[in-house]
Amino acid sequence: MGDVEGFLKYGRAELHGRPVEERLADYHEVYEPVDEQTVVQQGARCMDCGIPYCHVACPLGNYIPGFNDLVYEGDWENALTLLHRDNNFPEFTGHLCPALCEGACSLSLSFEPVTIKMIELQIIERGFADGRVRPQPPHTLTGKRVAIVGSGPAGLAAAQQLRRQGHEVEVFERADRIGGLLRYGIPEFKLEKKIIDRRLEQLVAEGIVFHTGVEVGKDVSADDLCRDFDAVLLAGGSRKPRDLVAEGRELSGIYFAMDFLTQQNQRCEGDVVPPDDAISAEGKRVIVIGGGDTGADCVGTSLRQGALQVTSFELLPQPPLKRAKDNPWPEWPRVFRTPSSHEEGGERIYSVQTKRLIGDERGRVVAIEAVKVNWQRDAQGRMRMEEVPDSNFTMPCDLVLLAMGFTGAERNGMIEQLGVDLTPGGTVATNTSKMTSRPGVFAAGDMSRGQSLIVWAIAEGREAAKRIGEYLAQA
């Protein structure tokens, strides 16, 4: 490493958010730019630890110590090359990944971990600014055709890898724009859509063909796709939301989080949402049920829309401030964190279960009745929940957003037509080569793995492309 004592000289530098009042007035990037000297110093903190668990923890296997050192040395061009070797879209992970690598950083045993995510993002942003992110069309073509269903991170990563192998690649997206959940599930303030569009220009220039507004299983039959292409990859998102089972669920004013977030992203794209279909938090008391990333996205979006009050309900207990004894390094630290949306406002209530949704005479939700719960481990070590006696409470609300995760792939249409096997969890079953029970049909990302992180989606897409390439070479 360039500076083996860098971690002793420099402390960890965190990203700084724009003032809350300022960012709540728009949907632009939350964080302020970072100066080059700060990034170089952060690269110097990488400590030549011998066994770099950071890139073991990364699903993509990014060679993190290598690009950290290249940034410290000022070799941004080779840092970009090394970063792109394992990650097709570091600008997506640089904004959205929780940084599993930092949780496994050796420095975190006694110091604060290296700001790997910050360094990664600055490498790719500088690469775009310097014009180094260029199309890489294949030199030779194989004559094989691959159809990819879904244009989220898994589908896009697979498309780029397969195209660079020399195959003809066509991507089918049922929405009106490319990007999948990156486009319509992630709020603009976490990932400005111009970042997606910038990368799509490269993919189009490399020869990938995109079809929008085409739902496979409806507009195009799944069997026709299998007939017309040499291989098919299912890379759609895990879009079947987990519903709330409680009295009063039928009341109006209760929506799935993804419907709410999609509408706001459509507005940010300049689309007009019909008034009768509009979901808005403006002037309302909002309760978000679910405390994960999607729930936090609902909080930030509600605050920007002008919510009167925002409260998050989480069934699980509040995580500890430091690693628990059963959560040792280099595991991902399951500790309490404050996402940018929660910095902006709202209240979080942990260990609470919704019991009943209360409506008015018009059939609109006006309150939630809930109860506090305790979590205890049983004799087998499994966590069990029990209600706390006399802990019931009622909280008024005008809008309820369900952000409780997803339960697998949508089964109607494409999945039904293909007749592929499913796992007990509702995802598409695959073998070790990412192939489904139907020969020539593969699956990757949320479709087969279930709801997961963007870094896993990209890794899954890359692995599927590798396996499809092997399959086509033998065909």
Side-chain angles (χ1 to χ4, degrees), residues 15-223:
L15 289 171
H16 295 290
R18 293 187 290 132
V20 170
E21 298 79 7
E22 176 184 315
R23 69 198 203 211
L24 284 180
D26 59 46
Y27 287 86
H28 297 308
E29 167 66 46
V30 166
Y31 296 106
E32 295 177 335
V34 183
D35 66 274
E36 182 176 322
Q37 184 59 31
T38 296
V39 182
V40 169
Q41 290 177 353
Q42 294 305 294
R45 295 187 71 237
C46 193
M47 62 181 289
D48 193 16
C49 58
I51 302 177
Y53 281 92
C54 55
H55 70 82
V56 176
C58 176
L60 287 163
N62 280 327
Y63 184 46
I64 294 162
F67 65 65
N68 283 344
D69 186 52
L70 288 167
V71 166
Y72 168 68
E73 297 289 349
D75 190 349
W76 293 88
E77 183 172 3
N78 281 316
L80 178 64
T81 299
L82 187 59
L83 182 59
H84 263 152
R85 186 192 69 179
D86 302 307
N87 187 354
N88 297 70
F89 314 122
E91 67 273 28
F92 300 162
T93 52
H95 279 93
L96 303 173
C97 183
L100 304 179
C101 50
E102 294 186 18
C105 176
S106 299
L107 198 57
S108 64
L109 285 166
S110 301
F111 300 83
E112 291 294 312
V114 175
T115 51
I116 300 166
K117 182 177 172 180
M118 175 199 290
I119 295 169
E120 174 185 64
L121 184 57
Q122 298 311 308
I123 291 171
I124 184 60
E125 287 302 323
R126 179 153 181 163
F128 272 108
D130 293 346
R132 294 196 179 107
V133 182
R134 306 183 186 95
Q136 298 178 37
H139 296 296
T140 58
L141 298 177
T142 65
K144 302 290 186 179
R145 303 181 69 212
V146 182
I148 297 177
V149 183
S151 66
L156 293 179
Q160 186 168 61
Q161 294 297 103
L162 286 163
R163 180 56 182 167
R164 289 178 177 180
Q165 291 175 23
H167 308 305
E168 299 291 340
V169 179
E170 297 187 31
V171 179
F172 296 83
E173 170 58 56
R174 66 182 178 182
D176 59 344
R177 295 181 178 91
I178 295 297
L181 291 179
L182 287 173
R183 174 76 64 180
Y184 286 129
I186 304 297
E188 185 83 2
F189 55 83
K190 285 179 64 175
L191 182 72
E192 295 192 34
K193 306 316 174 213
K194 63 184 181 182
I195 294 173
I196 303 174
D197 296 334
R198 179 179 65 182
R199 181 64 77 168
L200 288 176
E201 291 179 5
Q202 180 197 34
L203 302 184
V204 170
E206 290 179 354
I208 299 169
V209 177
F210 292 98
H211 304 279
T212 57
V214 178
E215 182 174 351
V216 177
K218 181 180 177 181
D219 303 307
V220 176
S221 78
D223 288 334

Side-chain angles (χ1 to χ4, degrees), residues 448-462:
S448 60
R449 182 181 177 83
Q451 180 189 7
S452 191
L453 304 173
I454 184 173
V455 65
W456 270 113
I458 296 172
E460 286 261 314
R462 289 173 63 90

Side-chain angles (χ1 to χ4, degrees), residues 270-328:
D271 297 345
V272 177
V273 177
D276 291 344
D277 299 328
I279 309 169
S280 175
E282 184 178 2
K284 295 178 181 177
R285 298 163 297 181
V286 180
I287 293 181
V288 179
I289 301 180
D293 288 341
T294 302
D297 293 344
C298 288
V299 170
T301 302
S302 295
L303 292 169
R304 282 164 176 75
Q305 289 185 356
L308 185 65
Q309 174 184 314
V310 183
T311 306
S312 298
F313 283 3
E314 172 55 63
L315 184 62
L316 296 174
Q318 180 175 320
L321 297 179
K322 296 183 179 180
R323 285 182 184 269
K325 291 182 179 179
D326 63 350
N327 180 212

